[in-house]
Amino acid sequence: MRIALNARILQAPRTGIGQYLIELIAALDADPSLELEFFHGWGWSRQLPPAALPGYSRWVAWAKQVPGAYRIRRLLEQRRFERGLRHTAVDLYHEPSLWPLDFPGPMLMTLHDLTHVHYPQTQPADRLAEIARCVEPALERARVILTDSQFVADELQRHYGVARERLKVAPLGYAQRFHPRPLADLGRVTAPLGVRPGSYLLCVGTLEPRKNLALALRAYALLPEAVRRRYPLLIAGMAGWRRDDFAAELQAALASGQVRLLGYLDDERLAELLAGARMLLFPSLYEGFGLPVLEAMASGVPVLLSPSSALPEVAGTAGTYVEAGDPEGWCRAILRLIEDQAEWQARRVAGLEQAQGFSWKRCAGITAAAYRQALEH
């Protein structure tokens, strides 16, 4: 079975969907019945690019200023896609995001979330217009639609009327680099940041309103001064759309010296930094899965999170849940996970156990079954 996979997202620095694609492809490679062909936006290959496209961030900045940039890019990609298909016979096309290219044969897509529906204000207008133009026809064309969680599958049924039999839930997994590590081994990554392993709090995610970073900042500011001095708050993630919505709070927090903005981190550095955190703070308002939550649990790090969207499917009973609009409750929960070692250890063990239910092997197995279902349609 020869599968065409759109890997254009790997031009960008590898966050959620990029990590999904990298890990899924690695797991699918173990299936001898599958042969994968990758479309990279400019051409075809059987190899994945080793890193993001140089200058990608400059293209994004340019696209913000040029009307119709997303449409123009898609038209060019469609032509290159079709040109490659003349020389590459494939049985099925898998699109790992919202907007598949036109394909003359059976198509399967992965829809990770409905952010464009619930938080359209977090999307640039051009991109949102292209999503609106493409997503409903794509959902009609797709023989099977994969989702990361039952939550998103249920949303697709309610919002778009997608029949249940066309939906397959394929929960994500975690990479092998996410595992418990001795704190003594983590000084290399923490020392340049001026923090000690086990003595900092961590937020991971793109800096945008949906991630609700403002709540983490407010809760952190309510902690006693002595606690903040002992446990700095580190924030790892790229700048996203509408970061200005909480810029004032962020700047005030950074000025204190107790909050540090790290920007985008490479895979291994992030894994090491996560393993050394006292806890992960994940106050997101909306997630189709919440990969950092799973990665933290697999690393032996307790997670404090909001009980929203798909997050309870991932964290189960291992998570410490506080409502997303309750900074005082978040402050109390942070203090408990700092001061109560027995509770911290219980959350750590529960998280490690919960993480064992997720793997990229399982995700790939469900995906391969979905390929066969799409071809038998």
Side-chain angles (χ1 to χ4, degrees):
M1 186 179 1
R2 183 173 287 181
I3 311 297
L5 249 169
N6 189 352
R8 186 202 60 77
I9 190 67
L10 298 181
Q11 293 176 2
R14 293 170 187 180
T15 54
I17 298 178
Q19 296 293 354
Y20 160 79
L21 199 53
I22 289 288
E23 297 296 339
L24 175 64
I25 288 168
L28 288 172
D29 274 343
D31 187 334
S33 71
L34 301 179
E35 188 175 340
L36 304 179
E37 301 279 351
F38 307 119
F39 176 66
H40 297 294
W42 64 89
W44 291 75
S45 170
R46 291 190 178 181
Q47 303 297 321
L48 291 176
L53 187 69
Y56 183 85
S57 297
R58 289 194 297 275
W59 183 90
V60 171
W62 172 81
K64 291 181 187 179
Q65 309 300 322
V66 179
Y70 281 91
R71 174 74 69 90
I72 293 167
R73 185 186 71 182
R74 281 183 59 77
L75 288 171
L76 292 173
E77 288 178 353
Q78 182 67 48
R79 291 180 183 177
R80 293 168 184 153
F81 185 71
E82 291 171 354
R83 190 181 305 135
L85 286 175
R86 297 188 197 115
H87 310 287
T88 307
V90 297
D91 301 306
L92 174 73
Y93 165 40
H94 181 181
E95 172 56 52
S97 67
L98 284 168
W99 33 24
L101 297 161
D102 291 335
F103 179 68
M107 184 270 287
L108 172 148
M109 65 187 290
T110 303
L111 201 149
H112 300 278
D113 58 53
L114 269 63
T115 301
H116 62 285
V117 172
H118 301 294
Y119 294 92
Q121 69 275 19
T122 67
Q123 307 279 338
D126 239 16
R127 186 175 191 274
L128 194 63
E130 193 65 7
I131 291 172
R133 186 180 74 85
C134 296
V135 70
E136 290 197 49
L139 291 172
E140 291 173 3
R141 284 165 44 212
R143 292 191 177 180
V144 179
I145 301 162
L146 289 163
T147 66
D148 303 339
S149 62
Q150 186 62 51
F151 171 82
V152 174
D154 293 344
E155 282 199 311
L156 281 170
Q157 286 187 277
R158 288 194 304 269
H159 189 81
Y160 288 109
V162 177
R164 180 175 292 275
E165 59 267 20
R166 294 173 57 221
L167 296 166
K168 280 270 193 181
V169 178
L172 309 186
Y174 58 92
Q176 292 182 355
R177 62 182 174 274
F178 294 102
H179 57 83
R181 303 175 187 235
L183 295 183
D185 295 346
L186 299 174
R188 180 183 65 83
V189 69
T190 61
L193 302 174
V195 298
R196 293 182 295 109
S199 295
Y200 57 87
L201 314 182
L202 184 64
C203 284
V204 175
T206 304
L207 274 61
E208 61 181 53
R210 174 173 65 94
K211 298 297 185 179
N212 204 19
L213 177 62
L215 173 67
L217 295 174
R218 290 168 195 158
Y220 185 76
L222 294 173
L223 293 171
E225 172 72 19
V227 173
R228 284 183 278 126
R229 282 199 303 269
R230 185 180 172 194
Y231 289 91
L233 172 61
L234 309 184
I235 302 169
M238 296 190 301
W241 300 102
R242 293 193 60 175
R243 174 178 160 182
D244 289 346
D245 285 10
F246 53 91
E249 286 177 283
L250 180 58
Q251 291 305 316
L254 295 174
S256 73
Q258 294 160 349
V259 177
R260 292 102 185 257
L261 195 58
L262 307 182
Y264 177 80
L265 301 179
D266 64 62
D267 294 345
E268 184 59 29
R269 189 176 177 211
L270 177 60
E272 291 179 344
L273 196 67
L274 186 53
R278 179 68 179 184
M279 71 191 77
L280 176 73
L281 307 183
F282 203 78
S284 183
L285 297 170
Y286 178 82
E287 295 289 331
F289 187 80
L291 198 51
V293 170
L294 177 58
E295 292 166 345
M297 293 190 301
S299 302
V301 174
V303 181
L304 177 55
L305 69 168
S306 58
S308 67
S309 52
L311 293 176
E313 283 186 57
V314 180
T317 58
T320 298
Y321 297 97
V322 183
E323 292 295 334
D326 183 7
E328 291 82 7
W330 275 73
C331 177
R332 290 192 295 271
I334 292 170
L335 280 173
R336 186 177 182 193
L337 285 173
I338 287 175
E339 296 173 348
D340 188 336
Q341 185 63 24
E343 174 66 12
W344 181 89
Q345 182 64 20
R347 294 299 94 205
R348 179 181 188 275
V349 170
L352 287 167
E353 292 175 353
Q354 175 71 7
Q356 297 312 301
F358 298 84
S359 72
W360 286 112
K361 180 179 179 180
R362 178 189 177 205
C363 182
I366 296 171
T367 301
Y371 291 164
R372 297 182 180 94
Q373 177 182 332
L375 287 172
E376 293 166 0
H377 190 279

